Amino acid sequence: MRRRAVLGGGLLAALGASALYVERDSIAGLFPHDAHEDLYSLGVAFSSVPDSLASEVQAHGAASVLHAGNIPGVERTFVQPDSPPLIAGTRTLSTAHGAETLTAITQAFLEKASRPAPTPALTSLDRSALLDIFTLTWALPSPIAALSPNWRYTWPRDTAHVIVALAERGFDDWALGLLEHLVRIQRPDGTFEARYRPGTARAPDARSPQFDGIGWFLWAAASLARLGVLSSDASPASSSPTLKRALARSARAAVDATTTASGLPTPSPDYWEVPERRLTLATAAMTLSALESAAQLSKLGFLEGEAGVGTETLERSARETERALLETFGPGDFQRYARGGGFDAGLLMLLPPYQTQEFAKRNPAIAGHIDEAFEAMQRPAGGVAPGARWKRDGISWTPQTAMFAQAYARLGERERALEILEWLAAHRTSAGAISEKILADGSPAAVAPLSWPAALALSTLEALHS
């Protein structure tokens, strides 16, 4: 496999991702090289908590408030160059009302969640990624992708990664609470909207649902089962008929979607969040993940209320979908589309943790493309774009870059994973937040922090630690 070292150092955005359809193969010609995009903030910090929360912390301890769900009166704001300084080791403004309470809560969170890392930079990355997740999840009705207006929504994909990251760091009840939130916002047919207004089942716009949502939901649930968080003798939430029925509905959606002539689902928007007329590898991969995850959950007794989605049916559907996926995307080396489109992160969704280790062993050729994909997707600052055929604006995206780190870690390529994590650590904002994008000159850009890359960084560090 080829190697390429990580280096050190718009029109579509203005219109909105769902505002127009552009053929993927033509995106590269629409944008100049080395585009500029502002950094919207250095980060997010808490600015106030209600006095009642201080009383609760004093009576029951700071750890007692570390759970899912809204806490009225907890306020947060953007960190800008002229903001008051942050209290050391926190994302709390020094001028915050209830600063002492917020500091105690943050310390309780970090004491439980922090892990030792191989280098000082990665130890710092671990703590800052935890703080990124904390500021975008704690005391909110549901996790948000970022605080900036167009990102202040709950994505099933991002939430699934936050669920897994929190569970890996010992916050079992919190993770289960967020999984239960996905249950509450699930559509009647078992699928999910692309994104939601926080704490509600309402989409903020008319964009199409994303079929990969069933994959993210079932993968998160199966991950909790693997970690022992979702088990018959765990929280009452584990045995909830409501949860079991929701998992079965998504399993049914996956089986129905692959009961087609091709054996694969119909086209749907994926993480690129644009309309699609052709099936993407990412959607196909997360449909397979949905079936495999559902089969694992069925074996453990976590599916209920849907006839015809037992373990045997799910395992058979998974094998048939696997065969169809390999036959469709394999001849093109697992690019975005069956007939090309360049490599993208869909390849990484065909690797652990989204697929089983058994799948990876049966299909070693998929992992054999990872270096080639990284090289094709790499941008000047050293990270990667969402895909090789993404617009050639010189911008690296941290979610897909972090996904490569996670994939390398799961494949046992420790040094390669560490190299990419060091890159993420070196390109944080001055407040320590992981931004969505990195410009060609290495400057952070767009929103900061963003929950998806923060959760990916935490899970990757956890995998390396384990």
Side-chain angles (χ1 to χ4, degrees), residues 131-357:
L131 291 172
D132 286 353
I133 293 295
F134 189 57
T135 56
L136 298 174
T137 303
W138 178 67
L140 289 169
S142 58
I144 56 176
L147 191 62
S148 298
N150 289 337
W151 288 259
R152 201 178 299 170
Y153 300 115
T154 298
W155 270 262
R157 174 199 62 222
D158 301 43
T159 299
H161 285 86
V162 171
I163 288 170
V164 173
L166 286 173
E168 289 172 336
R169 299 307 178 98
F171 290 99
D172 296 5
D173 290 343
W174 196 344
L176 278 171
L178 297 182
L179 187 69
E180 288 178 311
H181 176 73
L182 291 182
V183 169
R184 290 192 293 272
I185 65 177
Q186 183 191 53
R187 288 158 51 94
D189 64 356
T191 63
F192 292 85
E193 301 289 351
R195 57 183 185 168
Y196 295 84
R197 295 188 184 279
T200 78
R202 299 192 305 274
D205 51 31
R207 68 172 61 184
S208 300
Q210 287 183 206
F211 192 70
D212 61 1
I214 65 167
W216 298 121
F217 174 52
L218 289 165
W219 168 74
S223 297
L224 295 194
R226 172 179 55 82
L227 292 165
V229 176
L230 195 62
S231 63
S232 57
D233 58 352
S235 163
S238 296
S239 57
S240 163
T242 301
L243 171 60
K244 291 181 177 181
R245 286 193 293 268
L247 294 170
R249 280 194 297 271
S250 287
R252 162 60 67 190
V255 170
D256 289 349
T258 52
T259 307
T260 60
S262 68
L264 295 171
T266 56
S268 169
D270 62 8
Y271 73 99
W272 283 33
E273 299 187 15
V274 295
E276 291 292 348
R277 297 182 294 191
R278 293 176 285 173
L279 177 65
T280 66
L281 180 60
T283 295
M286 291 314 300
T287 302
L288 177 58
S289 178
L291 290 165
E292 291 279 16
S293 297
Q296 296 168 33
L297 292 164
S298 178
K299 288 179 183 178
L300 297 170
F302 288 117
L303 301 188
E304 183 179 287
E306 288 285 336
V309 288
T311 303
E312 184 178 342
T313 297
L314 289 162
E315 289 180 337
R316 183 175 62 252
S317 294
R319 296 290 73 75
E320 292 171 352
T321 300
E322 177 182 334
R323 182 170 57 253
L325 188 156
L326 296 173
E327 290 174 353
T328 301
F329 290 92
D333 294 337
F334 302 99
Q335 296 184 58
R336 179 168 176 79
Y337 302 112
R339 297 184 178 180
F343 288 111
D344 75 354
L347 177 74
L348 308 179
M349 296 173 199
L350 277 181
L351 296 170
Y354 309 114
Q355 308 298 335
T356 64
Q357 290 290 347

